[in-house]
Amino acid sequence: MKRILITGANSYIGTNFAEYLREYSENYTVDKISLRNDIWRETDFSKYDVVFHVAAIVHKKEKFDMKSMYIEINKNLPLEVAMRAKEAGVKQFIFLSTMAVYGKDGELGKETVITKDTIPAPNTLYGWSKLEAENELNKVNDTALSVVIVRPPMVYGLKCPGNYAKLEKLALLVPLFPNINNKRSMINIKRLCQYVKCYIDRGAAGIFFPQDEEYVNTSYLVKEMAKNNGKKVYLSTAIGIFVGFFFGRVKIIQKIFGNLVYEKSEDF
């Protein structure tokens, strides 16, 4: 019986992972705690085999004066949790990081492929603080505590927040959408949960890049979102050409329609 503690009680991924493991209740017990106050510091970590850390500041409009908050929550807090877990004899610490550590939005008409050798270069406080946490956590990785760093691309699924929610809202508002041929790495929430369970079962350590088997085309994703909500969105190649020609270098357009993928690999 594996005993798992999820730190970040109200997070989308943590909540879904706890629900997912209910299917395997004969093999796992799962508890969730919030880190929003100091009560968590009274938790007895010695009861657990694995800590899955999902608490973070994310989906915020960033301002420079928020840097100290990102350092405290996204960098210092996971390290403190990991150290407490290690001192208590926990065997594995899983840290939810992000593709944002690479600082890439993607480009229209040009492939952007992230490999295991791609050097992170974050361009947001979120990505930077996550990478800083990774660097600190790697220092405590040893035979006593296996550290797993998970860098998923955009996560999608029912009631998913963040960029996926923004796309879904757009899909319900517009009757026409640009038809642009692109590729994005994404991952369904259930598939991500499957990967995390696999890391636990294997007693894994290291950096992992989970993604769906197939890359996603943003235009067709929006069309599918609309269909799932009883709406119709028509994809226009002419609008796609117009957007690409006049706005192809605009950051938000690159973020939506640019090509940005993880290399396909058997070692996920």
Side-chain angles (χ1 to χ4, degrees):
M1 177 73 73
K2 283 284 181 72
R3 301 160 300 175
I4 301 166
L5 177 65
I6 299 173
T7 50
N10 298 318
S11 79
Y12 177 76
I13 291 174
T15 299
N16 275 270
F17 186 62
E19 288 292 325
Y20 174 74
L21 284 188
R22 285 187 179 182
E23 302 174 30
Y24 307 93
S25 57
E26 70 278 7
N27 296 320
Y28 305 91
T29 63
V30 182
D31 292 326
K32 297 189 296 178
I33 59 170
S34 172
L35 305 184
R36 292 182 180 273
N37 52 50
D38 290 336
I39 296 175
W40 73 268
R41 291 184 170 88
E42 301 171 9
T43 301
D44 180 8
F45 280 76
S46 66
K47 298 187 297 184
Y48 301 101
D49 302 294
V50 180
V51 171
F52 182 23
H53 185 85
V54 294
I57 299 174
V58 63
H59 307 315
K60 299 287 186 183
K61 186 173 182 180
E62 295 185 1
K63 299 177 182 178
F64 184 78
D65 61 5
M66 298 169 69
K67 185 175 182 179
S68 60
M69 181 171 62
Y70 276 89
I71 291 174
E72 184 61 31
I73 304 300
N74 288 5
K75 176 191 174 184
N76 295 345
L77 187 58
L79 180 61
E80 182 181 356
V81 174
M83 292 304 298
R84 284 178 175 265
K86 187 173 185 176
E87 291 166 2
V90 176
K91 298 302 182 185
Q92 189 180 45
F93 183 85
I94 302 175
F95 177 65
L96 185 69
S97 190
T98 172
M99 194 185 209
V101 299
Y102 295 101
K104 297 181 182 294
D105 293 317
E107 293 185 54
L108 274 68
K110 180 181 177 181
E111 287 194 357
T112 303
V113 182
I114 296 172
T115 73
K116 293 178 182 178
D117 297 322
T118 301
I119 298 173
N123 58 7
T124 62
L125 288 174
Y126 173 63
W128 172 79
S129 60
K130 283 289 190 175
L131 183 61
E132 287 288 300
E134 287 186 18
N135 293 335
E136 294 301 318
L137 290 169
N138 280 327
K139 297 175 184 177
V140 303
N141 177 49
D142 56 26
T143 55
L145 181 71
S146 298
V147 174
V148 175
I149 292 169
V150 187
R151 293 177 180 170
M154 187 173 83
V155 178
Y156 67 94
L158 184 65
K159 298 182 179 179
C160 187
N163 291 332
Y164 181 81
K166 293 176 184 176
L167 270 180
E168 188 170 38
K169 184 177 181 180
L170 187 62
L172 300 180
L173 290 175
V174 298
L176 282 173
F177 196 77
N179 187 12
I180 296 176
N181 185 28
N182 76 329
K183 294 178 182 178
R184 306 284 300 195
S185 283
M186 296 186 188
I187 187 165
N188 180 271
I189 181 59
K190 186 166 185 179
R191 187 169 181 84
L192 177 58
C193 291
Q194 291 170 344
Y195 275 122
V196 174
K197 176 180 175 294
C198 186
Y199 305 147
I200 291 172
D201 292 343
R202 290 164 48 192
I207 302 175
F208 296 92
F209 315 88
Q211 62 179 328
D212 284 347
E213 291 182 0
E214 301 297 329
Y215 297 139
V216 175
N217 176 291
T218 304
S219 299
Y220 285 97
L221 174 64
V222 167
K223 185 174 183 178
E224 188 66 20
M225 287 174 173
K227 181 180 177 181
N228 291 340
N229 285 276
K231 302 285 185 178
K232 282 188 177 181
V233 168
Y234 296 93
L235 301 181
S236 169
T237 300
I239 295 176
I241 293 172
F242 176 84
V243 168
F245 185 81
F246 288 101
F247 302 102
R249 295 193 176 276
V250 176
K251 187 172 182 177
I252 186 62
I253 296 300
Q254 291 180 337
K255 200 172 184 68
I256 296 173
F257 296 108
N259 294 285
L260 181 61
V261 299
Y262 277 134
E263 179 184 44
K264 296 287 187 180
S265 173
E266 292 298 321
D267 184 9
F268 49 79

